[in-house]
């Protein structure tokens, strides 16, 4: 017997979710693992190009063979050191020197890098030098206001705009004006649509092929947001040196983009889109694109998603992959699927009024 | 702990990469039995971010079936109340975190180092590199540079320094420690564990030099000629570091840990314990094949030996990405035409959403084909000298585990899934871990061996029957085997099975029978080519499954012929 559950389902089944928001107040943490200096304070207004802080990314130490370069026994190397542990050195600056008889046949050992002597000479006659780290800025990428800031944790920015979350990403964080290069959610981005005016932009469409990807790279496109890409092209893109940053919203294949996600991007075209591929420490986790508009005070926060009757879900399997529907029924008993598996299921109504029964595990909440 | 007499109900959870499985054990007529199970997607993904949600969901399924409350807002209710709510014990196994990547530096030759570390490789810790410093002199020019290169190349999670207790090389150890001290701290702020196996004097030096930058863990000294006890100490140390890593990196796991009353184990390690137990208990060779979302293992145990193959990053979920190069061979196991690029799309979709369930028959075929490819890949990667790549048994037991192999919708499909994946030859019992209780019982057995034994013997094996699978190839349609089954009541059945076919002779799990198999002259069921074999067998839910498809399994090259065969084979085992 199948019984309709006429009540809130929240807490009964835990569904993953993907945010698709056209306009709401959003908060995003911006982190750096090695915060050295945060240049913003709570309350500051920020723009996408603003630097929130910077860090010194440490480099691996280098070993310098002092004994070998001075042609002395390892245990003799300490006697020839000019620079001691803790001292700064510049690249090509002598760190050890061995003078020959009467000052002849002088031998010098130089540092290969700018850095600090941290150890040595050890028993092997080697010295370790910690190179200066690489300075890396933490860019805002968002319009908004800093709501919390701490040297240790980084900061949280509140912004107003839309957000579309995806399943995979490549590249580094970027931002640029959003250009939607497709008429419908299923349209593949045409290579001819990518012109010089796309340089520095974030382009979006239902799907992208090899030719369009190559053209996007050559035209200086910064970011690509698509519903789908083939697995083969995704791995090709991962190996491309100049591939724009990419966020895949729905999955692998040619299913295009879910309609609400596509419409959210269409509604926000022309605004600044920040593309977070989920690969960097500053914004690790869910790949997403956040399209911000200049900050509005008092905008409502997006509602928390929960599984309720009437909740919007994206179907993740079978012939309806990527289609959005509404939960109209949760079966209180497990049901046998066509595959033969007996699992908890949901009944989902599609936009044409038809209903499909799906494993509860094969949908995700959207909104 | 195993002697506690006040234990009634026990709840065990296995938190996998894709699914969370729960099993409830309770006393039934004075014996511990497996009474209910629940299953839910693992809820570690970013949008949920709490594995305890999956446990709650699976728990609610058990509550619905049993009518007893197990959970409240505070978590699992322990101990069991007089009114029957709650449970007495809760334990966890996990496979939702990859193994620790261990780089070992040894003050001994490579062979001794590898022998000393022989027990380490499993799903909690994998040796990704061994660096022998035996011949290194502290005075070697370039020693520090080489150590830096090794550390950069391997990117380990854990460093293992192996020194002999009576062979300490304090200068070398000190140099190594200075290199480690010079390395930048990890970006996530965690301190890398350094496990030191050696003498106390060097341990003191290391502890001082690494203070504040690394988590230092001295353990008992191991050497190549050590007994297993010292190696077990190292194994336990690495396992506990793995649990620490799971607790700090899997969201919600620390909360779940606060509910448990017994040590947490990796699922693969627990599975190993159970496989060894089965071999000892049934006094036979056991092949246990387990395909998970991110790990595939093939475990072979006899009374006196054990050979595990555990492949991290290989499976039907996140691990499907490792199978991308095998798309063409996977296509050969699908009942419809799907191009290799489209198969790679499906694999990547499994990678990003590993918890999805097979909705259609085509989905199920795809998942089974992935499982087959994962097992073949795991076996194919073994060095030739470690043995055959498929079981050839005369007697013994083959067990399938993991949702794809063991929880097929029908027993017939489960049998085909295991036979297709492992391609065992000969004659042996065939079973599956239908309720995913192997990992749970392996973990329970560490603290309560008597309870785990009772449950495993009574409910652990879901016996499908006995398979008969000749090794070799004959002509399509030739008589492959003549199989005669004589039940204890004297009723006999004799069947000729043509090559390329699958045939089932019903024999219930309560029945024993005398089996006689006469193979084609080019086929071998364990007695040699063409040699008849006779042995006593037990039945199961299916009976005697005669798999005359040859070894390796002969799949027609033409798609339509192949698809017709798939239908025949599936129909033969009851759909």
């Amino acid at each position: 017997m199948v019984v309709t559950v006429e009540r809130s389902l929240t807490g009964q089944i835990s569904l993953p979710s993907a945010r698709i928001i056209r306009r709401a107040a959003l908060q995003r943490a911006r982190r750096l693992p090695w915060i050295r200096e945060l240049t913003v304070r709570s309350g500051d207004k920020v723009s996408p190009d603003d630097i929130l802080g910077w860090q010194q990314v440490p480099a691996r130490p280098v070993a310098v063979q002092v004994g070998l370069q001075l042609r002395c026994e390892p245990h003799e190397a300490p006697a020839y050191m000019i620079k001691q542990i803790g001292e700064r050195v510049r690249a090509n600056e002598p760190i050890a020197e061995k003078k020959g008889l009467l000052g002849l046949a002088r031998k010098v050992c130089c540092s290969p890098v700018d850095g600090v002597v941290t150890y040595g000479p050890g028993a092997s006659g080697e010295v370790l030098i910690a190179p200066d780290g690489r300075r890396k800025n933490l860019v805002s990428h968002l319009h908004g206001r800093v709501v919390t800031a701490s040297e240790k944790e980084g900061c949280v920015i509140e912004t107003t705009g839309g957000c579309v979350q995806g399943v995979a990403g490549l590249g580094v964080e970027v931002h640029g004006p959003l250009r939607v290069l497709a008429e419908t959610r299923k349209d593949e981005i045409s290579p001819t649509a990518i012109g010089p005016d796309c340089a520095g932009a974030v382009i979006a469409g239902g799907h992208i092929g090899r030719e369009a990807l190559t053209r996007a790279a050559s035209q200086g496109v910064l970011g690509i947001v698509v519903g789908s890409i083939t697995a083969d092209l995704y791995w090709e893109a991962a190996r491309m040196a100049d591939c724009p940053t990419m966020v895949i919203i729905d999955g692998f294949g040619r299913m295009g983009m879910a309609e609400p996600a596509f419409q959210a991007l269409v509604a926000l075209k022309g605004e600044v889109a920040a593309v977070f591929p989920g690969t960097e420490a500053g914004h690790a986790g869910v790949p997403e694109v956040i399209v911000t508009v200049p900050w509005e005070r008092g905008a409502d926060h997006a509602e928390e998603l929960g599984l309720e009757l009437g909740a919007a879900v994206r179907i993740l399997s079978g012939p309806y992959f990527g289609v959005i529907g509404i939960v109209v029924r949760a079966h209180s008993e497990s049901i046998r699927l066509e595959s033969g598996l007996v699992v908890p299921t949901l009944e989902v109504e599609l936009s044409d009024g038809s209903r499909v029964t799906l494993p509860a595990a094969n949908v995700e909440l959207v909104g | 702990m195993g002697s506690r007499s006040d234990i009634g109900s026990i709840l065990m959870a296995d938190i996998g990469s894709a699914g969370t499985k729960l099993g409830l054990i309770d006393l039934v007529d004075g014996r511990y039995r497996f009474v209910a199970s629940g299953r839910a997607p693992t809820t570690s993904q970013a949008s949920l971010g709490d594995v305890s949600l999956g446990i709650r969901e699976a728990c609610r399924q058990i509550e619905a079936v049993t009518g007893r409350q197990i959970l409240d807002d505070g978590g699992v209710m322990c101990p069991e109340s007089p009114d029957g709510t709650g449970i007495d014990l809760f334990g966890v196994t996990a496979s939702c975190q990859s193994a620790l990547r261990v780089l070992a530096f040894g003050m001994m030759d490579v062979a001794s180092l590898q022998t000393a570390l022989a027990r380490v490789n499993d799903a909690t810790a994998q040796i990704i590199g061994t660096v022998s410093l035996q011949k290194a002199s502290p005075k070697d020019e370039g020693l520090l540079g080489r150590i830096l290169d090794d550390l950069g190349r391997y990117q380990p999670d854990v460093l293992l320094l192996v020194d002999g207790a009576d062979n300490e090389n304090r200068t070398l150890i000190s140099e190594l420690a200075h290199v480690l001290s010079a390395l930048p701290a990890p970006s996530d702020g965690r301190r890398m564990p350094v496990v030191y196996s050696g003498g106390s004097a060097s341990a003191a030096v290391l502890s001082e030099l690494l203070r504040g930058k690394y988590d230092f863990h001295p353990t008992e000294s191991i050497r190549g000629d050590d007994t297993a006890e010292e190696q077990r100490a190292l194994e336990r140390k690495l396992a506990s570091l793995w649990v620490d890593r799971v607790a700090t990196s899997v969201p919600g796991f620390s909360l779940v840990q606060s509910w448990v009353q017994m040590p947490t184990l990796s699922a693969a390690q627990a599975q190993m314990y159970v496989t060894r137990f089965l071999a000892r208990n049934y006094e036979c060779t056991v092949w246990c094949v387990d395909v998970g979302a991110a790990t595939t293992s093939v475990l072979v145990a006899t009374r006196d030996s054990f050979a595990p193959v555990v492949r991290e990053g290989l499976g039907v979920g996140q691990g499907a990405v490792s199978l991308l190069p095998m798309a063409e061979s996977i296509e050969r196991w699908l009942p419809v035409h799907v191009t290799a690029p489209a198969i790679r799309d499906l694999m990547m979709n499994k990678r990003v959403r590993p918890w999805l369930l097979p909705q259609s028959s085509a989905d199920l075929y795809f998942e089974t084909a992935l499982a087959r490819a994962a097992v073949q890949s795991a076996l194919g990667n073994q060095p030739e000298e470690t043995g055959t790549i498929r079981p050839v048994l005369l007697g013994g037991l083959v067990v399938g585990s993991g949702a794809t192999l063991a929880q097929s919708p029908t027993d017939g499909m489960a049998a085909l899934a295991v036979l297709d994946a492992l391609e065992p030859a000969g004659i042996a019992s065939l079973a599956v871990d239908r309720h995913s209780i192997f990992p749970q019982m392996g973990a329970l057995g560490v603290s309560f061996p008597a309870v785990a034994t009772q449950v495993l013997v009574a409910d652990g094996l879901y016996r499908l029957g006995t398979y008969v699978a000749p090794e070799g190839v004959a002509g399509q349609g030739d008589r492959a085997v003549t199989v005669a089954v004589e039940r204890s009541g004297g009723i006999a059945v004799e069947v000729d099975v043509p090559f390329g076919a699958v045939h089932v002779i019903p024999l219930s799990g309560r029945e024993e029978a005398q089996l006689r198999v006469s193979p084609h002259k080019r086929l071998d069921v364990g007695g040699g080519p063409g040699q008849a074999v006779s042995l006593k067998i037990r039945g199961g839910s299916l009976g005697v499954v005669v798999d005359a498809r040859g070894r390796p399994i002969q799949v027609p090259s033409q798609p339509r012929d192949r698809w017709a065969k798939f239908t025949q084979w599936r129909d033969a085992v009851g759909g």
Side-chain angles (χ1 to χ4, degrees), chain A residues 11-17 33-34 58-63 65-68 72 74 118-119 122-126 128 130 167-168 229-232 234-235 249-255 285-286 314 316-318 321 336-341 343-344 357-359 361-364, chain B residues 39 41 43 45-48 53-54 57 60-61 137-146 148 151-153 155 171 174-175 178-179 182-188 321 324 340-341 344-346 348-349 351-353 355-364 407-410 413 570:
Chain A
Q12 301 298 304
I13 300 172
S14 302
L15 292 186
S17 61
W34 296 280
R60 300 183 75 81
V62 294
Q65 299 179 18
V66 174
L68 190 69
C72 66
T118 59
Y119 173 67
S124 60
E126 288 169 283
L128 296 179
V167 293
I229 186 172
T230 64
D232 290 352
Y234 178 82
W235 289 110
I249 302 299
D250 289 77
F252 295 90
R254 297 174 184 277
M255 74 284 287
V286 182
R314 170 162 38 196
L316 301 174
S317 66
F321 191 125
R336 184 176 293 276
L337 304 172
E338 192 246 317
S339 64
L341 291 181
V343 296
T357 298
L358 300 154
N362 290 13
V363 300
E364 68 182 358
Chain B
R39 182 186 174 86
T43 46
Q45 58 269 45
S47 65
L48 290 167
L53 297 175
E57 190 173 324
R60 277 190 290 271
Q61 293 169 18
S137 157
K139 296 178 182 177
D140 277 358
E141 289 284 359
L143 173 67
L144 304 192
R146 288 203 303 278
L148 277 173
L151 289 167
R153 183 165 68 250
Q155 300 282 318
T171 310
S174 165
E175 292 289 279
H178 277 106
V179 175
L183 292 175
S187 63
D188 58 10
V321 71
L324 287 170
R344 288 191 283 272
D345 290 341
L346 292 169
M348 286 295 287
N349 285 323
R351 180 205 190 197
V352 295
R353 295 182 177 111
W355 61 87
L356 297 183
L357 298 173
Q359 191 175 338
S360 64
S361 299
D363 295 339
L364 197 65
Q407 285 151 30
S408 294
T410 67
M413 288 162 72
R570 197 161 161 169

Side-chain angles (χ1 to χ4, degrees), chain B residues 287-324:
Chain B
W287 280 65
C288 181
V289 55
D290 177 33
V291 182
T295 305
T296 295
S297 59
V298 181
L299 312 173
V300 187
T302 66
R303 266 191 71 84
D304 309 314
S305 67
F306 182 61
V309 175
V310 180
R311 280 288 308 275
E312 274 277 334
L314 186 64
V316 295
Q318 296 93 331
V321 71
S322 299
L323 299 170
L324 287 170

